[in-house]
Structures are given as structure tokens and as C-alpha cells.
Amino acid sequence: MVSRLGTSSGSFYNTQTRTMGDGPTAIKMGDFNNDGITDIMATNLNKDRVRIRWGHSNWQNWSFYSTGDGPRELVVGDLNGDGRDDFVTANTGDDTITIGVKRSGSGFRLNTLYVGTGNSSVALADMNNDGDLDILHDGAGRLRLRLNNGSGSFGSPITLVTSPTGNTSFPSIAVADVDGDGFRDVVANHGYDDMVLVRRTAWGQYRTPEFAAVNPGSLRKIQIHDMDDDGHRDIVTIEGTTTINIYLGNGNGTFSSANVIDTPTTFDFEVADFNNDGFLDLLHSGNQTRLLLANP
Amino acid sequence: MKSNQCRSLFLTLSCMFVLAGLAAFAQEPREGVIYWEEPLTETAAGESFIQNGPDARKAPSCGDGVQQDGDLCFITSTAWETQTHPLTGLDVGRLNGGQNVDFVAC
């Protein structure tokens, strides 16, 4: 892995390169021991583990924890409200997810659940506004929600979307209020050909999933941000390997057609304000890590 | 005998009130409960939440220095890391507790 510190002008310095284990496919920052110092966790796809590099040792010391077979996706958040970050991996080798809840001492309380053939993704969000992070994941051609009881234990899965084409997976899941009703909605890949939107109503119901086709075989990743600063959430995607698309939200659950940004080979992206000007910028990675600064 | 009949009538009425109350409570949406509005079906063609056509795409006025709602403009990207192998994972946050955004990639 490589890390860089940001400056207030949208540049980076202090490059550090460290090993992160065998087959790191996803990486996340978190504070797993609640010491106020950021730690770094990555999946080890080929070792069925996650590795943590601890911030208090300037990321020199590391530990690993077991997951299911082939952890490919990783999300981090405090699942039980104890101030320590926890993690969930999507394990594509044995169709499971692993939930790791940090103990007050050393180690994690690990729980691996079978979620169905072809699982590929996991996301955390408070879907029922009770203050606890819930888990969204795919598997067996379904996009499912597991509600958190507040202690990092989760209820039976609730199906939000059933793939109309069989066991098609939902490889990327994003959550935000896209229609302005105060409740979080879900936008996900449906395979690599479609996006699917599931809107939550004020009564806790979920509307009928809406599908939208993109260029066949191209859709890789979805996030939701207000990219044009108009107060409405927009959909940001990687489509193909050389295009980032931005679908501007209208605030009512509909979106513009794609605003296309051509990029070098890109496998992942993140959105943040890197130069502290109040506008969201795009950092994307592939063979290079490149920064696109907003230029209003 | 009459006393038993009265007791039975009282219990029956009580049960009815309790059941009526439970039914009324069940109809009120409660926080944290998932309610289904309608069966899951695929949206028909033409009902996409992504609008089609050129009119749906907002025309940006890049770099005019005036932020308007809907402006969507970026400066040409700058490379900050070049690797011999592709970086598939990326995250941003504050590694050193500072005000500026840092990144990690693998």
C-alpha cells in the first residue's frame, strides 16, 4: 500500500509504502482501538484475512484477523457504538460475509455468515434511522438488508431487490437520500449492465426497484455525492475502465444523463474536498493515482 | 352460575378490547420496522430514473470563477502516484489528524 498526506492546496507529500499482505483488494482507514489515531485495514484475498496496520506505531506494527474465503470488499464503521471501528468483508470464495466487532481488549468478535452464491459487495448505512449501522449485501441474486440491533448483531436478511435475471450480483452499493424525503435510499450496480434504485418512504417501506441501463458490461462502481453543490445528491460511477460518469440529481429521485469524464485506467475512486475550497474533488486510482480538482 | 356467565362476558369483552387495540397499533407505522409498499417487480422500459437525451445533461460553464448550481467542472487531473501494478483499492481520510484529506491505496 501507499499512503500520502494532503496539503490545503490539493497536493500530497510524505509518501509511505508498506506491505499489506497477500492480495490486498480493498483498503480502509479506521480507528479500531479508539486511541484517536487512524489505523489502516486491507483485505488479503489470497490469505482469507484482513490486515491492520496500527496508527500508534506510525503504521509499522500490524495484526491480522481471519475472514471467510476470499475477502474482496471491505467496509469499516462502529457497529456497536463503543467508539471502536468494526469491519465487514464480502468473501467471494465461499459466498459469505465476515462481521468483525472489535473487543474492548485485543481482537475482534468474528462472525461469518453465508449469504448466497455470487456475493460480491457489502455496505454500511443506518437504513431505519435508529442510529445503528445496518449491513447491505448481495448474494443469490438478491440485494439484502440486515438490521443492526445496536450491539453489532444483525437480524434476518430482508430482500430489497431480487434480480430479474437470476443470480446476477450487485457488485457496488451506495446509500444516500436521493429524493429529499429525509430517508436513505439505495443505488447499486445490477451486474455490470444496469443501475438499480430503491427508494425508502417515510413509513419505512421501500418502493419498487427502478432499473436503468448503462453501456452493457461497463458499470464497475457507484457512489453518491453532491458533486455540483446544488443540494441534490448525484450518482458517480466508473463505467468501463477509462470513464467516470456523473449523473446529476434533480432532487426527486431522477437524474440527468451521464456527464462523462475520460480518465486513464481507473479501478477505484473517492470523493472529497482535497484543497479546502468547499467543492468536491475526485481522486481515482488504477495504474496511477490522479486527482481531479473541481474548477467552478 | 350467573356469576360465571358475568365473568365469561367480562373476559370476552376484555379480549375484544385488547385485540382491537392491538389491531389499531399494528396499523400505525413504527420506527425501525420494514413495511412493504407493493410487490417487487422490474420497472418497465421507459420509466428509467436516468433521464435520456441531450436536454438532460446540464451545460457547465467551466472555470468562469462563478459557482452556479449545476456547474460541474474539473481541472485537468494530476498524477500523484504511479505503480508498476494497478491500484484497485483506495480510501481517503485524515491519517495524521490534520485538516487536510490524505489517501491510502493498494
Side-chain angles (χ1 to χ4, degrees):
Chain A
M1 75 151 197
V2 61
S3 65
R4 275 185 172 246
L5 301 179
T7 71
S8 60
S9 61
S11 60
F12 299 95
Y13 69 106
N14 190 24
T15 304
Q16 294 197 29
T17 303
R18 299 190 188 283
T19 60
M20 278 309 270
D22 192 356
T25 55
I27 191 165
K28 287 285 179 287
M29 299 183 196
D31 182 2
F32 299 100
N33 54 0
N34 197 23
D35 63 356
I37 305 173
T38 301
D39 311 305
I40 303 169
M41 175 182 281
T43 55
N44 287 179
L45 179 72
N46 302 325
K47 289 286 188 184
D48 306 334
R49 300 170 174 172
V50 290
R51 175 180 288 197
I52 299 178
R53 284 199 172 267
W54 298 102
H56 61 74
S57 67
N58 196 28
W59 305 288
Q60 292 185 45
N61 298 340
W62 56 272
S63 309
F64 68 86
Y65 300 95
S66 297
T67 66
D69 183 10
R72 187 176 293 277
E73 291 296 328
L74 168 69
V75 289
V76 165
D78 184 359
L79 298 177
N80 58 351
D82 65 354
R84 302 176 190 87
D85 276 331
D86 312 301
F87 74 89
V88 186
T89 57
N91 313 314
T92 53
D94 59 3
D95 305 320
T96 61
I97 60 172
T98 296
I99 303 166
V101 177
K102 185 69 177 67
R103 299 182 192 275
S104 57
S106 62
F108 287 80
R109 174 164 54 90
L110 298 167
N111 188 19
T112 296
L113 306 172
Y114 179 75
V115 294
T117 304
N119 74 312
S120 59
S121 64
V122 63
L124 295 177
D126 179 8
M127 295 303 295
N128 55 353
N129 290 0
D130 65 354
D132 303 317
L133 288 173
D134 308 307
I135 296 176
L136 296 120
H137 64 80
D138 66 344
R142 290 174 172 80
L143 175 57
R144 286 171 161 152
L145 166 65
R146 291 175 187 258
L147 293 174
N148 188 345
N149 67 6
S151 65
S153 297
F154 294 83
S156 300
I158 300 159
T159 298
L160 301 185
V161 186
T162 299
S163 170
T165 54
N167 278 347
T168 302
S169 62
F170 298 83
S172 180
I173 304 169
V175 175
D177 176 13
V178 300
D179 54 12
D181 66 356
F183 296 92
R184 292 177 184 86
D185 312 300
V186 180
V187 180
N189 291 30
H190 173 241
Y192 302 101
D193 300 341
D194 306 277
M195 275 188 274
V196 60
L197 165 65
V198 191
R199 288 195 288 150
R200 187 184 190 273
T201 72
W203 299 109
Q205 301 164 317
Y206 287 90
R207 295 182 189 277
T208 303
E210 303 171 65
F211 289 80
V214 299
N215 289 332
S218 68
L219 188 59
R220 303 293 164 189
K221 179 174 180 175
I222 289 177
Q223 288 194 4
I224 303 174
H225 303 275
D226 181 6
M227 297 303 296
D228 59 350
D229 200 38
D230 66 351
H232 305 317
R233 299 301 184 102
D234 312 311
I235 298 173
V236 189
T237 65
I238 296 175
E239 292 178 34
T241 56
T242 58
T243 303
I244 292 177
N245 286 0
I246 300 176
Y247 300 83
L248 294 173
N250 299 314
N252 59 0
T254 66
F255 297 83
S256 75
S257 56
N259 293 267
V260 179
I261 300 171
D262 294 323
T263 67
T265 301
T266 294
F267 297 117
D268 200 0
F269 70 88
E270 291 292 336
V271 172
D273 179 9
F274 289 92
N275 58 352
N276 298 329
D277 65 352
F279 302 109
L280 291 176
D281 313 304
L282 268 165
L283 186 72
H284 56 93
S285 66
N287 295 324
Q288 297 179 326
T289 302
R290 301 183 71 94
L291 178 62
L292 272 167
L293 288 173
N295 182 33
Chain B
M1 186 68 175
K2 192 173 183 180
S3 172
N4 283 341
Q5 284 178 336
C6 285
R7 188 177 296 122
S8 296
L9 182 61
F10 175 77
L11 287 172
T12 304
L13 286 172
S14 299
C15 287
M16 289 175 67
F17 278 124
V18 168
L19 288 173
L22 284 174
F25 181 72
Q27 289 170 357
E28 287 295 319
R30 286 175 291 150
E31 183 181 355
V33 175
I34 302 292
Y35 296 91
W36 295 95
E37 188 173 54
E38 51 200 329
L40 293 170
T41 55
E42 186 177 11
T43 303
E47 294 179 18
S48 170
F49 59 94
I50 304 293
Q51 300 169 347
N52 293 315
D55 292 342
R57 187 175 301 180
K58 296 182 182 180
S61 50
C62 293
D64 62 1
V66 180
Q67 171 66 32
Q68 305 282 347
D69 286 353
D71 273 4
L72 188 64
C73 311
F74 296 93
I75 299 171
T76 303
S77 70
T78 306
W80 286 102
E81 203 58 55
T82 301
Q83 297 284 320
T84 53
H85 62 280
L87 297 170
T88 58
L90 180 66
D91 195 23
V92 297
R94 287 172 172 80
L95 281 172
N96 60 348
Q99 297 295 312
N100 305 313
V101 181
D102 315 311
F103 76 82
V104 291
C106 67

